């Protein structure tokens, strides 16, 4: 045996808890190893010290006190008969059931809260980096949500829905790539667009409303192209989210409300075309578009309703000021 | 025939037939009743059996509790442990030794007590005042040192050290009491002994070895 294994069994040897063979092996080592023998001597000394400890005196009247408490329990009606025990088991079972349900709900809520908190944090980092270096921001999302670049023809298979990701967007933005992100809420697609000046727009499509992505950033609700749109003030740019058909779209990197309004109109037409194509493919009649993109320019100078609490004026070329 | 007489005055308890029964003498023969009979009596809430159980166990339990929570809190904890024992004794199946079952209950009560107190920054028994009623010979000074050093150990290590060195339980009984594997008892004792010695030296103990 080496020192390490001897020390592992030192207490067991000292307390005579080893088999005769183990004990003999230990003894053999201890005879030749002063260091291990020293530890054994220390254990023995400690044991002597513990043995010298005087037993404490139980305070006088202890039984009387316990007896009195037992009598009090009896008088207070702590029952001891079998029906009570049966009832107590039923009560216990009911309590456990309620406790388990509560624990499950609490766990689910906590899990949900954790996921929510985590998404706010990750998106906070994404939005902070987006304006400086969109490529760095993209790394944050891809790393956290197992993001993968997918070919446009495979995007629908990967995402399990046909994403609204046209080749081009108004104002000269050209599609660079489509990513699929596995987020806690849903599988989400993200399409990156870039214009000739290097400006980047990110378009997210998801199944659930995701205002929580923006944390406590200044937010207003406005009517863009007749759609209730949530506008979020980033440092110099805007993010916006709105519902399009059965899906929710979010855009990050818009340079003003006009651009948002134009994008909402454009993508709405695209979405309705997609749904129409899907309906036609499925043998259903195409749903006619509710509005045309070209009509939205008249809305550039308009009043926007800020959640019913205030009214703000948005002028062409400016970003909304959430002064309510 | 030697008898043990109940001399303590009853507090806040009206006289009743059952009280008078309890005041009867307990004979030495009854004190040596088999533990199974005493436990069976306690399950029936027989006060005489409860008294016998108390007589059998209270010194060992008090010693264990005092090492776990300190001198000041030990009396209250001892009372609590006995009340819990009488309340839960129906759960004792008889598969294990009763002593290990009651030690486990006592240790759990002590750990719960410490958890409650730790929220209020309770630190013991290392900070306990020195007992003025004791004469401070070299032996009692060493005992005070041991009390303080034990108080610095983590509760689980303290429990395992006391169960072995003070109560003299075997590794199997310790494992049964602490509901752990027998194979881990030795290594935990190694830790407890090594750390306890270190604390003792730091507190000024001069070992001979």
């Amino acid at each position: 045996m080496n020192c390490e294994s001897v020390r592992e069994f030192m207490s067991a040897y000292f307390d005579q808890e080893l088999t005769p063979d183990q004990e003999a092996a230990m003894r053999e080592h201890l005879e030749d190893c002063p260091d291990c023998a020293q530890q054994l001597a220390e254990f023995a000394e400690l044991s002597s010290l513990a043995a010298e400890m005087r037993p404490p005196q139980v305070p006088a009247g202890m039984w009387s006190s316990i007896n009195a408490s037992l009598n009090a329990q009896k008088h207070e009606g702590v029952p001891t008969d079998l029906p009570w025990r049966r009832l107590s088991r039923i009560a216990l079972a009911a309590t456990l059931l309620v406790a388990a349900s509560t624990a499950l709900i609490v766990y689910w809520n906590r899990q949900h809260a954790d996921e929510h908190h985590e998404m706010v944090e990750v998106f906070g980092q994404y939005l902070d980096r987006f304006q400086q270096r969109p490529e760095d921001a993209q790394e944050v999302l891809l790393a956290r949500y197992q993001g993968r670049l997918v070919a446009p023809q495979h995007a629908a298979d990967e995402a399990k829905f046909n994403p609204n990701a046209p080749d081009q967007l108004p104002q000269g933005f050209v599609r660079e790539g489509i990513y699929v992100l596995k987020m806690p809420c849903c599988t989400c697609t993200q399409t990156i667009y870039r214009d000739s000046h290097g400006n980047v727009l990110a378009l997210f499509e998801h199944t659930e409303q995701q205002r929580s992505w923006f944390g406590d950033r200044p937010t207003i609700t406005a009517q863009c192209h007749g759609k209730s749109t949530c506008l979020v003030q980033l440092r110099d740019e805007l993010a916006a989210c709105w519902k399009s058909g059965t899906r929710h779209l979010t855009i990050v990197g818009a340079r003003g409300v006009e651009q948002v309004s134009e994008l909402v109109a454009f993508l709405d037409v695209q979405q309705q075309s997609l749904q129409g194509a899907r309906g036609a493919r499925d043998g259903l009649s195409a749903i006619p578009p509710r509005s045309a993109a070209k009509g939205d320019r008249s809305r550039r100078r308009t009043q926007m309703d800020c959640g019913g609490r205030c009214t703000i004026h948005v002028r062409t070329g400016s970003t909304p000021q959430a002064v309510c | 025939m030697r008898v043990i007489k109940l001399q303590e005055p009853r507090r806040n308890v009206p006289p009743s037939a059952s009280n008078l029964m309890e005041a009867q003498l307990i004979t030495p023969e009854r004190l040596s009743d088999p533990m199974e009979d005493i436990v069976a009596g306690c399950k029936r809430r027989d006060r005489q059996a409860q008294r016998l159980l108390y007589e059998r166990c209270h010194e060992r339990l008090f010693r264990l509790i005092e090492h776990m929570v300190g001198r000041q809190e030990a009396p209250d904890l001892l009372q609590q442990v006995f009340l819990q024992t009488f309340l839960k004794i129906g759960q004792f199946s008889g598969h294990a030794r009763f002593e290990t079952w009651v030690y486990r209950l006592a240790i759990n009560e002590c750990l719960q007590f410490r958890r409650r107190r730790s929220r209020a920054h309770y630190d013991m028994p290392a900070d306990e005042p020195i007992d003025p009623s004791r004469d401070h010979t070299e032996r009692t000074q060493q005992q005070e040192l041991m009390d303080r050093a034990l108080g610095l150990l983590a509760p689980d290590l303290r429990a395992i050290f006391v169960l072995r060195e003070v109560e003299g339980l075997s590794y199997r009984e310790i494992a049964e009491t602490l509901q752990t594997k027998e194979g881990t008892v030795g290594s935990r004792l190694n830790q407890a002994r090594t750390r306890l010695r270190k604390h003792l030296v730091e507190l000024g103990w001069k070992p001979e070895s």
Side-chain angles (χ1 to χ4, degrees), chain A:
Chain A
M1 290 179 87
N2 58 23
C3 289
E4 195 181 341
S5 54
V6 163
R7 296 209 171 195
E8 191 185 330
F9 291 108
M10 191 66 85
S11 275
Y13 175 75
F14 178 69
D15 294 321
Q16 300 181 321
E17 291 272 349
L18 293 178
T19 63
D21 286 350
Q22 289 172 317
E23 212 171 284
M26 288 283 289
R27 199 178 303 115
E28 194 180 329
H29 178 93
L30 287 163
E31 279 169 5
D32 294 332
C33 179
D35 287 346
C36 290
Q38 166 71 18
Q39 194 188 36
L40 184 66
E42 289 172 6
F43 280 10
E45 198 174 6
L46 205 59
S47 192
S48 303
L49 198 63
E52 283 177 10
M53 291 172 82
R54 210 163 40 181
Q57 289 295 308
V58 180
M62 179 56 74
W63 170 252
S64 296
S65 184
I66 293 169
N67 193 36
S69 296
L70 289 171
N71 284 329
Q73 282 181 356
K74 209 171 176 179
H75 287 291
E76 283 164 13
V78 177
T80 58
D81 54 340
L82 282 172
W84 175 81
R85 287 168 71 177
R86 272 199 297 273
L87 274 175
S88 73
R89 284 194 194 112
I90 294 167
L92 179 67
T95 309
L96 284 175
L97 192 67
V98 171
S101 313
T102 310
L104 200 65
I105 291 166
V106 168
Y107 173 78
W108 189 87
N109 282 340
R110 187 171 293 174
Q111 189 83 356
H112 198 68
D114 287 350
E115 283 174 0
H116 173 86
H117 181 75
E118 190 255 351
M119 280 212 295
V120 170
E121 198 174 318
V122 172
F123 255 80
Q125 288 179 27
Y126 172 75
L127 296 171
D128 286 344
R129 295 184 190 194
F130 187 86
Q131 289 196 304
Q132 292 155 5
R133 275 185 59 82
E135 295 80 8
D136 289 350
Q138 188 66 5
E139 288 302 316
V140 173
L141 283 193
L142 298 184
R144 186 64 193 88
Y145 297 125
Q146 305 163 43
R148 285 191 307 114
L149 181 67
V150 295
Q153 65 270 25
H154 297 141
D157 291 338
E158 296 283 342
K160 313 293 183 209
F161 61 84
N162 200 6
N164 188 351
D167 297 346
Q168 293 189 351
L169 291 181
Q171 301 186 14
F173 280 91
V174 179
R175 188 177 69 201
E176 272 194 352
I178 304 174
Y179 295 87
V180 175
L181 304 170
K182 303 280 183 193
M183 303 189 69
C185 53
C186 58
T187 297
C188 172
T189 59
Q190 182 211 29
T191 311
I192 300 292
Y193 294 89
R194 196 183 292 267
D195 68 6
S196 56
H197 305 292
N199 297 317
V200 174
L201 272 177
L203 170 66
F204 295 86
E205 184 168 344
H206 36 96
T207 53
E208 290 173 35
Q209 195 173 34
Q210 296 297 347
R211 289 191 184 192
S212 63
W213 286 353
F214 303 108
D216 55 2
R217 285 179 163 75
T219 302
I220 56 171
T221 303
Q223 292 294 317
C224 294
H225 185 64
K227 284 191 176 294
S228 176
T229 306
C230 171
L231 295 169
V232 185
Q233 182 75 64
L234 306 181
R235 199 175 303 161
D236 301 317
E237 296 172 343
L238 287 179
C241 43
W242 69 96
K243 192 173 182 192
S244 179
T246 56
R247 314 200 62 82
H248 292 267
L249 299 180
T250 297
I251 195 129
V252 176
R255 271 89 189 157
V257 183
E258 305 84 355
Q259 191 180 7
V260 172
S261 188
E262 197 169 2
L263 286 166
V264 170
F266 180 83
L267 289 165
D268 193 37
V269 171
Q270 292 288 322
Q271 184 70 25
Q272 295 196 34
S273 302
L274 276 174
Q275 286 182 349
R278 195 180 303 128
R281 194 173 60 240
D282 296 343
L284 301 173
S285 60
I287 302 166
R290 281 183 293 182
S291 57
K294 60 186 175 186
D296 76 295
R297 288 198 175 271
S298 61
R299 296 174 186 272
R300 280 190 178 172
R301 186 182 284 269
T302 183
Q303 276 195 339
M304 296 202 309
D305 180 27
C306 178
R309 291 185 297 277
C310 58
T311 301
I312 59 170
H313 294 273
V314 181
R315 292 186 185 88
T316 304
S318 68
T319 54
Q321 298 299 310
V323 182
C324 297

